[in-house]
Amino acid sequence: MNLALFDFDGTITTHDTYTKFILSTTNRTRLVFGGVLLLPLVLLNKLGLFPSHILRPIVSWMAFAGVEENQLKAKAESFVSGYLPDVIRDDMLNKIKAHQHSGDRVIVVSASLSPYLEIWCQRLDIELICSELAVKNGRFTGAYVNGDCSRQKKADLIANKVALDTFKHITAYGDTKEDHAMLNLADKCFYQGKLLTP
């Protein structure tokens, strides 16, 4: 069997869905309060002075700590049905289906969040490794279960989930430096849509 690994934001999609999900599902009070508190970090991030893999967990905690699981799940369903179809790249969706048709094991590996990625992947019968929001007593704690799924953590989580040496061929698709560790696991990789040659 072969394995196909896909980043989500910017690879399968044309836009950053993490930020859109935060903005479209967080209540107004949290957005305003959190926006004021986190603005310096966001600005530093835009300047390349504060890393995204540290900023995302902070933003996620601010947005979702204490939110009811069922409440956010309902919003995630609407997000998947109403927004994601407009930003999914048709060519990448076709690549996913081609891998599935060939009998390959397909896994989306993303720093974006579990509430909506779980729904999207389930609808396409795709496995998922992502930044998973922790739940306690029916509410999100705001923390991540296994940390931010990016950079070396992305490769580590893949290695923990699958026995890489059992696959005849591994293909990986990514679009930013946060995907490099994942791409290094593959014998054939595509970066920003282009095949990387050794």
Side-chain angles (χ1 to χ4, degrees), residues 8-10 12-25 74-90 112 116-117 119-120 123:
F8 191 73
D9 281 353
I12 294 175
T13 70
T14 58
H15 292 80
D16 165 31
T17 63
Y18 170 86
T19 302
K20 181 68 174 181
F21 184 70
I22 295 289
L23 295 175
S24 64
T25 59
K75 292 181 178 180
E77 291 275 2
S78 297
F79 184 78
V80 171
S81 298
Y83 177 72
L84 286 189
D86 294 332
V87 298
I88 298 295
R89 297 180 190 271
D90 290 336
S112 287
Y116 67 95
L117 285 181
I119 297 168
W120 189 81
R123 291 182 181 182

Side-chain angles (χ1 to χ4, degrees), residues 2-195:
N2 296 326
L3 175 65
L5 304 168
F6 287 83
D7 169 57
F8 191 73
D9 281 353
T11 300
I12 294 175
T13 70
T14 58
H15 292 80
D16 165 31
T17 63
Y18 170 86
T19 302
K20 181 68 174 181
F21 184 70
I22 295 289
L23 295 175
S24 64
T25 59
T26 306
N27 70 51
R28 186 174 182 83
T29 301
R30 283 185 185 237
L31 278 179
V32 173
F33 182 66
V36 171
L37 287 180
L38 298 181
L39 182 59
L41 295 183
V42 172
L43 292 176
L44 288 173
N45 176 258
K46 295 296 184 183
L47 295 172
L49 301 175
F50 193 82
S52 296
H53 71 279
I54 295 178
L55 178 61
R56 279 189 298 263
I58 298 172
V59 172
S60 297
W61 180 84
M62 184 68 68
F64 301 124
V67 173
E68 291 184 7
E69 184 179 13
N70 290 337
Q71 178 187 1
L72 188 58
K73 184 176 180 180
K75 292 181 178 180
E77 291 275 2
S78 297
F79 184 78
V80 171
S81 298
Y83 177 72
L84 286 189
D86 294 332
V87 298
I88 298 295
R89 297 180 190 271
D90 290 336
D91 60 330
M92 295 306 294
L93 191 57
N94 289 336
K95 284 184 183 294
I96 289 172
K97 292 178 179 178
H99 279 290
Q100 291 177 312
H101 183 72
S102 297
D104 299 344
R105 184 173 178 180
V106 178
I107 308 177
V108 166
V109 190
S110 175
S112 287
L113 300 174
S114 52
Y116 67 95
L117 285 181
E118 286 175 354
I119 297 168
W120 189 81
C121 287
Q122 286 169 3
R123 291 182 181 182
L124 292 175
D125 195 24
I126 301 170
E127 292 183 63
L128 173 66
I129 298 172
C130 70
S131 296
E132 181 182 356
L133 291 177
V135 177
K136 184 176 182 179
N137 299 324
R139 293 180 180 271
F140 289 102
T141 67
Y144 285 4
V145 175
N146 292 308
D148 184 77
C149 183
S150 66
R151 300 159 50 102
Q152 185 58 42
K153 174 68 73 172
K154 184 172 274 196
D156 292 343
L157 290 173
I158 293 168
N160 288 338
K161 183 180 179 71
V162 300
L164 294 171
D165 58 358
T166 64
F167 294 96
K168 181 178 179 181
H169 186 76
I170 301 174
T171 306
Y173 303 82
D175 77 304
T176 71
K177 63 183 181 180
E178 292 192 339
D179 299 318
H180 287 173
M182 178 181 75
L183 296 178
N184 288 336
L185 299 176
D187 47 79
K188 184 178 182 181
C189 53
F190 293 85
Y191 185 73
Q192 297 180 356
K194 298 180 180 180
L195 176 64

